[in-house]
């Protein structure tokens, strides 16, 4: 039985639907006066964050506390990591403390996989984002939001996203969110299209289970959901487009472009948004934009993942996906 959540590609359709359905149950806890379940009482969960984070870290912490887990927050800044401590030594320190699960975000692609398979620690490992590789819980909360909006809360139970047309727009090259969403949405039966300038598409994208387009205007009328991706300047070491103005003109979503989308279509963004570049304030503040809803759904999804890994049934899949080409050891 699978003990970790490292990649969205590890999940079968049944795994993903089980998580989405469990999250629907967890969402009802948020409507209670006391938002607590005793499921993980006595379990210790460490949030091991080597990269800056607001939404993901707070979302995981809220999910853990609502399940009554004992929570330890670790950030690289101010820890022994800043003195040169390796991931292995940090993991063995946590193992000595008897933690039950580790939620890890790391700048090196492959760090969560290395932690889960190295034997350094005997705890469940949940990937909260590793380099440009994967961010599986973000893909799950995005799929959860799509299913709620496009299928329905009650009618969506047990259902996937078969036949839904999803468009991801922007910096695909540096986006772990894009990779995770392509994997998961394909598993759930959706038709995915990536829209980006050629310089912001990764090598080998033609092998991904999706379509590729360079023309945003032609894809919008056919989309059930449009997800705008942030241009990740902190990961860039070259000029990938001439100017911000030109990027916004070709690949930004404004009110005029939103009007070309079908009436039922929604606008999504994993956050943080750069208003005025990939998305205008008019679109970001519209009723069709699900950004705030995605944050709320993130707590429910992460509660579901923690429950299934630590407190409930295991996932159905026995295998773990292969590690990316560059591991944490190679990136050090």
């Amino acid at each position: 039985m699978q003990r970790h959540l490292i990649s969205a590609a590890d999940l079968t359709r049944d795994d993903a639907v089980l998580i989405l359905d469990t999250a629907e149950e967890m969402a009802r806890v948020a409507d209670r006066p006391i938002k607590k379940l005793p499921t993980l009482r006595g379990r210790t969960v460490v949030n091991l964050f080597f990269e800056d984070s607001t939404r993901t870290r707070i979302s995981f912490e809220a999910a853990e506390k609502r399940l009554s887990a004992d929570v330890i927050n670790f950030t690289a800044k101010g820890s022994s990591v800043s003195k040169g401590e390796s991931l292995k030594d940090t993991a063995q320190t946590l193992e000595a403390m008897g933690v039950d699960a580790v939620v890890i975000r790391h700048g090196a692609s492959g760090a969560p996989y290395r932690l889960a398979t190295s034997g350094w620690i005997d705890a469940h490992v949940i990937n909260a984002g590793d380099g440009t590789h994967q961010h599986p819980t973000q893909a799950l909360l995005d799929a959860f939001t799509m299913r709620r909006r496009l299928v329905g809360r009650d009618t969506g139970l047990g259902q996937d996203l078969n036949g839904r047309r999803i468009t991801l727009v922007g910096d695909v090259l540096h986006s772990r969110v894009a990779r995770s969403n392509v994997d998961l949405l394909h598993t759930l039966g959706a038709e995915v299209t990536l829209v980006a300038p050629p310089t912001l598409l990764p090598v080998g994208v033609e092998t991904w289970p999706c379509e590729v387009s360079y023309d945003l205007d032609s894809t919008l009328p056919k989309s059930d959901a449009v997800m705008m991706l942030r241009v990740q300047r902190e990961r860039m070491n070259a000029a990938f487009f001439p100017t911000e103005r030109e990027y916004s003109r070709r690949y930004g979503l404004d009110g005029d472009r939103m009007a070309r989308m079908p009436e039922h279509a929604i606008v999504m963004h994993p956050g943080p948004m750069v208003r005025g570049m990939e998305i205008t304030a008019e679109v970001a503040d519209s009723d069709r934009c699900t950004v705030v809803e995605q944050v709320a759904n993130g707590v429910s999804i992460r509660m579901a993942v923690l429950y299934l890994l630590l407190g409930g049934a295991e996932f159905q899949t026995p295998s773990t996906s292969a590690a990316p080409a560059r591991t944490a050891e190679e990136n050090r």
Side-chain angles (χ1 to χ4, degrees), residues 7 12 41 105 152-153 166 200 212 223 237 296 320:
S7 169
T12 66
R41 185 177 296 159
R105 167 169 285 194
R153 294 190 181 191
I166 315 299
L200 289 177
V212 176
S223 301
N237 54 11
T320 302

Side-chain angles (χ1 to χ4, degrees), residues 188-246:
L188 290 172
E191 301 170 11
V192 183
T193 301
L194 300 177
V195 179
T199 54
L200 289 177
L201 288 170
V203 174
V205 70
E206 64 277 359
T207 65
W208 293 15
C210 62
E211 300 293 325
V212 176
S213 173
Y214 307 118
D215 184 6
L216 177 58
D217 293 319
S218 66
T219 60
L220 290 176
K222 302 177 288 184
S223 301
D224 296 306
V226 176
M227 182 181 298
M228 307 306 297
L229 302 171
R230 179 176 65 88
V231 174
Q232 300 188 35
R233 291 194 174 278
E234 71 276 10
R235 301 187 191 276
M236 293 183 177
N237 54 11
F240 289 86
F241 48 85
T243 65
E244 292 185 6
R245 176 177 291 183
E246 180 168 341

Side-chain angles (χ1 to χ4, degrees), residues 35-160:
K35 302 175 177 60
K36 279 273 193 178
L37 293 174
T39 310
L40 300 186
R41 185 177 296 159
R43 299 293 192 101
T44 302
V45 181
V46 176
N47 296 319
L48 192 63
F49 278 65
F50 292 87
E51 279 190 326
D52 294 338
S53 172
T54 299
R55 291 162 188 79
T56 303
R57 180 176 56 81
I58 294 175
S59 179
F60 265 111
E61 186 174 353
E64 292 150 7
K65 290 183 175 180
R66 287 185 183 180
L67 292 172
S68 303
D70 297 321
V71 180
I72 301 173
N73 288 315
F74 172 100
T75 55
K77 294 175 183 177
S79 73
S80 294
V81 172
S82 61
K83 302 176 184 178
E85 184 174 72
S86 67
L87 178 62
K88 177 179 180 179
D89 292 330
T90 301
Q92 290 178 332
T93 299
L94 297 176
E95 173 68 11
M97 295 178 180
V99 302
D100 297 292
V102 176
V103 177
I104 178 172
R105 167 169 285 194
H106 203 286
S109 297
Y113 177 87
R114 179 71 168 154
L115 187 64
T117 60
S118 62
W120 298 336
I121 191 168
D122 186 31
H124 299 276
V125 177
I126 300 172
N127 183 2
D130 61 327
T132 60
H133 178 222
Q134 282 281 331
H135 194 352
T137 58
Q138 179 68 45
L140 285 163
L141 74 89
D142 291 337
F144 184 63
T145 302
M146 292 176 201
R147 194 178 76 165
R148 277 188 148 196
R149 281 291 195 106
L150 301 176
V151 183
R153 294 190 181 191
D154 296 326
T155 56
L157 290 174
Q159 301 298 312
D160 54 23

